[in-house]
Amino acid sequence: MAPCYWEISYFFERRCSKQIFSLAVLLSSMFIYNQMGDIDEAALDRLSLLTEKTKDICVLASRGKSIASGLGHFSPIFVWLLRDLYSDSVEDNRRITAGDYLEHALRPVQGTGKDIAATNEIRRFIRTLFPDRECFALVRPLNNGNDLQQLDSMDQLRPEFRSGLEALTEFVLERTRPKKVGASVLTGLVLVAITDSFLEACNNGENPTIASSWLIVEEGDCRGAYESATKVYISTFDRSKPPEEADMREAHEKALRASLAAFNSIAVDAGSARMRYEERLHKFFRRTFEEYKMKAFREADLLCSRAIQRMEVNLTTACHAPGVSIEVLFSFLVLFVQNMQHHLMVRQNGKKAFLHLYP
């Protein structure tokens, strides 16, 4: 929540103040516009100062659409809060809700001429800029305003004011959600990065571009997620497993799951950058695992060759030993065959892996 207070006639004379206000609106998930009294032409003119500044915010993704239509996808929920009303809103001799009153105030005015066209443009822009909008009206908290200075408890407030305030509070708590760009939730770090990109554009005298700022942040966020995920895979992969396909596959799958969990916890929820880095991550998994298997089988093949050579020497030595019996030689031969089968199997796996990598 970022409350902004200003004296409109003074606040909007300064360029930096306009930028701060437009930034606050852009980054908020709900914008509550607080004013005294009814919605009249003067109130619409004051709000138009905001719409004028938001016209400077570019949305690259809105080609073929109006500026307001493009910004509408990024705009917060708009709540027009009317305070200290003296009477209920009436249309055609019937009471209407505050929401209906807002929609009625934003209808185009009938007539012709420059003044009518200008005021209708303000209404059109507000409707388009804030497609998700609501209005709440609060009566005076006490019949006598001077009594507010001696207010001891909420029970002294008018029942109509308390019920209106409760309805507003319920709406805010129910509808306020984390800020999103498309389907992506803006985490704290992402929100800071977008703010930094937005301010950099303002400080350089450029019009802030939502799409560009988001793409820059999305790219950096997904790149960081990719780098963290690769480190998790390498550190989690159990290299103590024997050089058997099933055992190494099990270690690979375990490291892969841990790595993807790390990636998903950092990367933004959706977007082209996420898809690109996720695809790149899976290529890293395949390449790293295949390279490890090839190296493991090569080392196993070398160990097997040396073991077989030692067994051959041992068998030759046993055959030429003085006084060797058939039973001892047969037992030694059985053990030799078993060891030979095991090492040949490992060698065969290594050859298969090598041929798979280099057909």
Side-chain angles (χ1 to χ4, degrees):
M1 180 177 291
C4 298
Y5 304 95
W6 71 90
E7 177 64 34
I8 285 193
S9 60
Y10 169 72
F11 186 91
F12 276 97
E13 290 177 357
R14 296 181 295 171
R15 180 173 176 272
C16 63
S17 299
K18 295 179 182 180
Q19 292 173 342
I20 292 173
F21 188 83
S22 61
L23 174 63
V25 172
L26 174 67
L27 297 180
S28 64
S29 56
M30 180 177 290
F31 170 42
I32 302 178
Y33 185 68
N34 183 9
Q35 77 161 50
M36 300 277 289
D38 299 326
I39 300 177
D40 53 18
E41 290 301 325
L44 291 172
D45 287 340
R46 288 192 294 270
L47 185 57
S48 71
L49 293 173
L50 166 64
T51 65
E52 284 299 317
K53 183 54 192 173
T54 54
K55 289 179 182 178
D56 293 338
I57 302 174
C58 303
V59 183
L60 293 181
S62 61
R63 289 184 178 180
K65 302 178 182 179
S66 67
I67 294 176
S69 176
L71 281 173
H73 296 291
F74 299 91
S75 298
I77 300 172
F78 176 61
V79 178
W80 200 326
L81 177 61
L82 308 175
R83 295 188 296 112
D84 292 6
L85 293 183
Y86 289 95
S87 60
D88 294 327
S89 302
V90 177
E91 182 181 6
D92 297 332
N93 296 322
R94 63 182 180 86
R95 293 178 57 183
I96 59 175
T97 65
D100 292 335
Y101 173 65
L102 172 61
E103 297 306 314
H104 177 77
L106 294 178
R107 290 177 187 171
V109 177
Q110 299 298 321
T112 59
K114 292 183 178 180
D115 292 341
I116 296 296
T119 192
N120 283 338
E121 175 60 20
I122 291 173
R123 287 170 164 82
R124 183 200 65 79
F125 198 87
I126 294 173
R127 291 195 308 269
T128 312
L129 180 62
F130 299 114
D132 192 353
R133 54 186 179 267
E134 189 53 84
C135 181
F136 286 87
L138 298 178
V139 299
R140 292 176 63 88
L142 294 172
N143 290 321
N144 187 349
N146 295 327
D147 293 340
L148 284 173
Q149 299 177 6
Q150 289 82 36
L151 186 66
D152 295 326
S153 70
M154 291 287 290
D155 294 336
Q156 296 177 253
L157 298 175
R158 295 172 62 186
E160 302 96 319
F161 176 82
R162 292 204 305 269
S163 62
L165 188 60
E166 290 172 359
L168 173 62
T169 303
E170 182 180 354
F171 178 86
V172 171
L173 294 177
E174 182 179 309
R175 293 292 305 279
T176 302
R177 294 291 183 271
K179 182 68 176 181
K180 287 186 175 183
V181 174
S184 301
V185 175
L186 304 189
T187 62
L189 292 177
V190 174
L191 201 60
V192 169
I194 283 188
T195 304
D196 182 67
S197 177
F198 189 95
L199 291 176
E200 183 179 358
C202 291
N203 292 333
N204 292 334
E206 302 170 355
N207 289 335
T209 303
I210 296 175
S212 295
S213 297
W214 171 244
L215 288 176
I216 292 172
V217 171
E218 184 184 34
E219 180 73 21
D221 191 70
C222 291
R223 186 189 307 112
Y226 169 82
E227 292 173 354
S228 296
T230 56
K231 292 178 181 178
V232 169
Y233 178 86
I234 292 173
S235 62
T236 307
F237 194 97
D238 185 4
R239 287 168 172 75
S240 64
K241 295 287 186 180
E244 300 287 348
E245 178 71 27
D247 293 328
M248 289 191 293
R249 176 68 61 180
E250 180 182 353
H252 164 71
E253 294 293 341
K254 181 179 179 181
L256 184 146
R257 289 192 296 270
S259 179
L260 287 177
F263 180 83
N264 292 329
S265 67
I266 300 174
V268 290
D269 292 347
S272 59
R274 179 194 174 95
M275 295 175 61
R276 187 169 66 256
Y277 276 99
E278 194 166 5
E279 181 181 357
R280 183 177 170 185
L281 184 60
H282 281 284
K283 289 181 179 178
F284 167 82
F285 292 150
R286 291 192 295 269
R287 183 182 70 253
T288 305
F289 182 48
E290 295 299 339
E291 288 176 353
Y292 172 75
K293 283 199 304 181
M294 184 181 69
K295 180 180 178 182
F297 284 134
R298 279 178 174 174
E299 292 177 351
D301 184 72
L302 180 60
L303 291 175
C304 289
S305 297
R306 292 174 179 174
I308 291 172
Q309 291 174 2
R310 288 195 302 270
M311 286 189 290
E312 289 176 350
V313 172
N314 293 337
L315 180 60
T316 302
T317 302
C319 290
H320 292 86
V324 63
S325 65
I326 295 298
E327 291 78 8
V328 172
L329 190 60
F330 181 78
S331 300
F332 188 89
L333 189 59
V334 170
L335 182 61
F336 173 82
V337 171
Q338 290 175 346
N339 289 335
M340 181 72 74
Q341 288 175 340
H342 170 74
H343 289 295
L344 286 175
M345 185 181 300
V346 174
R347 291 189 69 175
Q348 187 66 24
N349 286 336
K351 290 179 180 179
K352 287 180 179 179
F354 188 83
L355 291 173
H356 174 70
L357 292 172
Y358 301 102

